[in-house]
Amino acid sequence: VKLSRLCEQDKILKDLEARISSLKNDKDKLERVLDMSHQQMEQYQEQPAHIHKIAYQQRLLQEDLVTIRAQISCVSTEMANAWEEYNRLEESVEQLRLVLQAHMTRSDTSQQEKAELKRELWRIEDVMGGLSVSKTNYKITVDSIQNPGEIRLFADDIVISNESREQVEKRPGKWSYVLERKGMKVRRIETKYMLK
């Protein structure tokens, strides 16, 4: 039962992670369109008819942006809560594993019981192994939610921000090392820098 609940929680986290990614993509698109509308406002400031139309479109886009940002906040809170529940369930499964191992090593345990306990331990090991890659992704996503100024994930992209380009250039190496130790691959082919 505990393993099934942990797998269910994993699915909940996967769904929330996908929703956050989709909402962030929508937010980025809206912000790009709003940037263009601001540029158009400057470009057509001598033409009141165009300014009126652009201002109306801007208001609609701004309302959509507020809605999407609110949704991101709600889903992020859901993800943080789901992550806490996942950790609680994982700890419960680990305690179960330790109890089963201890019972297996007792001298009064029959061979049939030991064989059954071994199968149960294998089930736990298989599920935990299957969840380990996802767990790393969730941890990174939750960290990016709780520390939004430092690292953000957008689908397959990682955005790292800092005060200077030198400090930003140091961070991917650290992230690559950590992620590759967890079985993920990091390709830095399309590195881009945006300076304020």
Side-chain angles (χ1 to χ4, degrees):
V1 175
K2 290 181 180 183
L3 281 177
S4 296
R5 287 183 58 209
L6 186 59
C7 292
E8 179 186 355
Q9 198 65 23
D10 177 70
K11 177 159 183 359
I12 290 168
L13 283 167
K14 256 188 193 117
D15 293 345
L16 290 169
E17 187 178 43
R19 282 175 56 199
I20 288 172
S21 178
S22 175
L23 286 167
K24 284 184 176 180
N25 284 336
D26 291 346
K27 178 187 75 72
D28 289 346
K29 288 175 191 171
L30 266 176
E31 287 175 342
R32 282 194 295 272
V33 172
L34 277 165
D35 286 346
M36 288 183 349
S37 73
H38 288 292
Q39 291 170 359
Q40 287 176 342
M41 287 284 268
E42 289 177 0
Q43 183 181 358
Y44 295 109
Q45 56 187 319
E46 302 295 324
Q47 301 173 22
H50 284 301
I51 291 288
H52 181 70
K53 288 178 186 175
I54 295 168
Y56 177 74
Q57 289 173 343
Q58 267 186 344
R59 279 193 300 278
L60 294 177
L61 292 168
Q62 289 164 346
E63 288 173 14
D64 289 346
L65 183 61
V66 168
T67 301
I68 286 176
R69 283 182 170 270
Q71 289 173 342
I72 289 172
S73 179
C74 289
V75 176
S76 296
T77 301
E78 272 185 72
M79 177 112 188
N81 292 337
W83 174 244
E84 285 179 25
E85 177 66 10
Y86 181 95
N87 284 324
R88 191 185 65 70
L89 288 167
E90 186 182 48
E91 189 176 301
S92 179
V93 168
E94 178 59 19
Q95 289 172 353
L96 173 64
R97 187 185 68 78
L98 293 173
V99 167
L100 292 174
Q101 278 183 330
H103 191 67
M104 200 167 109
T105 58
R106 288 180 34 192
S107 59
D108 61 340
T109 305
S110 71
Q111 289 303 320
Q112 184 179 354
E113 283 180 299
K114 285 184 179 183
E116 189 59 39
L117 290 169
K118 187 179 278 191
R119 279 194 293 279
E120 194 61 36
L121 286 167
W122 286 341
R123 286 185 194 112
I124 291 172
E125 183 182 320
D126 291 339
V127 168
M128 299 308 287
L131 296 174
S132 66
V133 173
S134 298
K135 181 183 174 186
T136 303
N137 292 339
Y138 304 146
K139 174 127 181 63
I140 293 170
T141 302
V142 170
D143 284 347
S144 74
I145 291 167
Q146 293 171 343
N147 305 303
E150 292 184 20
I151 295 162
R152 296 183 198 122
L153 294 180
F154 302 98
D156 296 327
D157 298 334
I158 299 175
V159 177
I160 301 173
S161 62
N162 211 311
E163 305 234 344
S164 70
R165 182 175 173 154
E166 293 77 29
Q167 290 179 349
V168 169
E169 287 175 345
K170 290 179 189 174
R171 301 289 297 279
K174 291 178 185 176
W175 272 85
S176 295
Y177 174 75
V178 171
L179 294 173
E180 285 170 0
R181 285 188 54 215
K182 300 290 184 183
M184 295 200 264
K185 296 195 180 209
V186 177
R187 295 182 342 169
R188 293 171 56 185
I189 295 170
E190 294 184 27
T191 303
K192 296 177 185 172
Y193 295 95
M194 293 181 285
L195 304 172
K196 288 186 178 180

